[in-house]
Amino acid sequence: MERRHLLRAAVLGGSAAVFGGTLWRGAAYAAPAQPGPGPYGALGSPDANGIRLPSGFTSRVIARSGQTVSGTSYTWHNAPDGGACYADGSGWIYVSNSEINPSGGASAVKFSSSGSITAAYRILSSTRQNCAGGKTPWNTWLSCEEVSLGYVYETDPWGVNASVQRAAMGRFKHEAAAADPVRQVIYLTEDETNGRFYRFVPTTWGNLSSGTLQVMVAGSGTSGSFTWANVPDPDGSPTATRSQVSGSKSFNGGEGCHYADNTVWFTTKGDNRVWQLNLASNTYELAYDDSLVNGTAPLTGVDNITGSSSGDLFVAEDGGNMEICLITPDDVVASFLRVDGQSGSEITGPAFSPDGTRLYFSSQRGTSGSSSGGITYEVTGPFRS
């Protein structure tokens, strides 16, 4: 399924209202329709964890920074950030980065088939400000350093194999990664005000030790065609990777990245946009831009992004009113959940369990507003399939 022209959607007061056209084409529009609920309905009152959820959904706390994970002796890391889930027999694993500098790294929590926590452990240590990352088809976790000349580290969610620095994937202020098994490449975002969008083409798919780093080349507009050009010096020295290729397209603060069905989406926090690359046609467009819906949509501070089996995109907010919002294949933008009482934090690491019935995410700084106050949650309920 290929998602197109999602800018038709606007939302008033947390409920969806649809315009009749595609905003990026600059058409004229009548007033929006009457507000109505998103696909999961209105958010309820805060639960015991301070989370507002649609009817039928519940939350629980999985881990807290500086405290031992329930049923284990492992102390959860500070500032939990990007994450992903992995099947583990009849159970699964959730991995989470630590966005602190120094130390950083990543940890994992293992679950049984019933959802009980059975183990927690460190999978990456002694790195810097590990922000987002991405899951590979061969079940490793790419943990990205959000620092100047940062690296990508390939890690083992089971904690058995040692992590490996993947220098060939470039040295820059890495944010997120998304694997494309069709084209056998890894897409990468860069968290700079004039950052670029990259792809890494491994010499051998499944082995990230060598390959070619490329950058997206396109015009200055919000839609059009694009190509890829090789980055001459992926090590970013003496010239930053984003400045090496003439005509490479600048993006204002690259954040989350997600691939599905010949499409890759990524967010840019500087202008609060979700971009969409249609890979079969080599064209790009906006999937979301709140300035084109007059700021009436609920989604602000776009950050980490993931997708569900239904084709819904789930976008976490850095700031805003601490929501995870969704963008549906039917062009609706709506709030899915809201965390109350944590305005000094941000939502990070949304990821679904392998069966799609549980959503994991973190509040990076929790109620304290400090990196030592992070909280990691699980939401269970009737997600669309």
Side-chain angles (χ1 to χ4, degrees):
M1 175 181 58
E2 188 169 301
R3 179 189 307 270
R4 288 185 178 274
H5 313 321
L6 296 180
L7 292 177
R8 288 197 293 266
V11 178
L12 299 176
S15 300
V18 180
F19 291 95
T22 51
L23 294 179
W24 66 266
R25 288 180 174 171
Y29 297 94
Q34 290 298 312
Y40 291 106
L43 302 184
S45 300
D47 65 11
N49 297 316
I51 300 178
R52 297 178 181 266
L53 292 162
S55 177
F57 289 85
T58 58
S59 75
R60 67 166 170 159
V61 173
I62 296 302
R64 295 179 183 271
S65 295
Q67 298 184 23
T68 55
V69 178
S70 178
T72 78
S73 59
Y74 183 74
T75 301
W76 197 237
H77 56 261
N78 288 348
D81 207 288
C85 281
Y86 299 79
D88 177 50
S90 59
W92 59 93
I93 295 169
Y94 177 68
V95 301
S96 170
N97 280 343
S98 176
E99 195 188 11
I100 58 174
N101 188 7
S103 297
S107 303
V109 179
K110 186 177 287 192
F111 300 87
S112 69
S113 59
S114 66
S116 299
I117 296 173
T118 60
Y121 45 90
R122 174 68 60 158
I123 62 172
L124 177 64
S125 300
S126 302
T127 55
R128 303 172 297 161
Q129 203 159 321
N130 297 77
C131 195
K135 179 180 178 180
T136 68
W138 48 93
N139 286 326
T140 59
W141 169 243
L142 301 180
S143 184
C144 297
E145 289 185 314
E146 189 196 352
V147 295
S148 178
L149 298 180
Y151 287 103
V152 174
Y153 289 83
E154 186 169 16
T155 68
D156 176 14
W158 285 262
V160 175
N161 299 310
S163 59
V164 180
Q165 186 184 90
R166 296 304 189 190
M169 299 184 77
R171 296 194 66 186
F172 53 88
K173 202 171 183 181
H174 283 278
E175 183 70 32
D180 176 352
V182 177
R183 289 150 200 87
Q184 299 187 342
V185 300
I186 307 289
Y187 302 104
L188 300 161
T189 57
E190 181 178 26
D191 192 358
E192 299 274 9
T193 56
N194 62 340
R196 299 303 195 260
F197 188 72
Y198 304 88
R199 74 174 186 180
F200 179 67
V201 186
T203 303
T204 302
W205 185 235
N207 183 345
L208 302 179
S209 62
S210 66
T212 303
L213 182 68
Q214 299 181 325
V215 65
M216 179 180 167
V217 175
S220 59
T222 55
S223 65
S225 61
F226 68 88
T227 58
W228 300 99
N230 292 350
V231 175
D233 297 308
D235 63 0
S237 178
T239 303
T241 55
R242 63 185 180 278
S243 302
Q244 293 183 23
V245 176
S246 176
S248 60
K249 185 170 179 59
S250 176
F251 292 98
N252 192 349
E255 292 285 341
C257 192
H258 174 69
Y259 169 87
D261 302 316
N262 291 314
T263 307
V264 62
W265 295 270
F266 63 97
T267 61
T268 51
K269 66 182 180 184
D271 47 19
N272 206 49
R273 287 171 167 171
V274 182
W275 297 83
Q276 173 180 319
L277 270 60
N278 306 308
L279 300 167
S281 62
N282 285 333
T283 59
Y284 70 97
E285 60 187 289
L286 287 175
Y288 173 79
D289 181 357
D290 72 347
S291 70
L292 296 181
V293 291
N294 300 316
T296 56
L299 179 56
T300 58
V302 298
D303 203 305
N304 292 170
I305 184 171
T306 193
S308 68
S309 59
S310 66
D312 295 328
L313 296 176
F314 285 72
V315 187
E317 290 186 337
D318 179 352
N321 55 354
M322 285 288 289
E323 290 187 339
I324 293 179
C325 295
L326 57 83
I327 306 174
T328 76
D330 299 323
D331 301 350
V332 172
V333 181
S335 304
F336 173 71
L337 65 78
R338 182 184 307 153
V339 180
D340 278 7
Q342 300 187 31
S343 59
S345 187
E346 62 184 272
I347 292 181
T348 60
F352 282 93
S353 60
D355 65 1
T357 64
R358 302 168 192 250
L359 174 65
Y360 295 91
F361 71 94
S362 295
S363 170
Q364 190 179 80
R365 297 178 292 278
T367 57
S368 70
S370 166
S371 62
S372 61
I375 309 170
T376 300
Y377 299 97
E378 174 193 87
V379 169
T380 305
F383 288 100
R384 305 199 301 173
S385 60

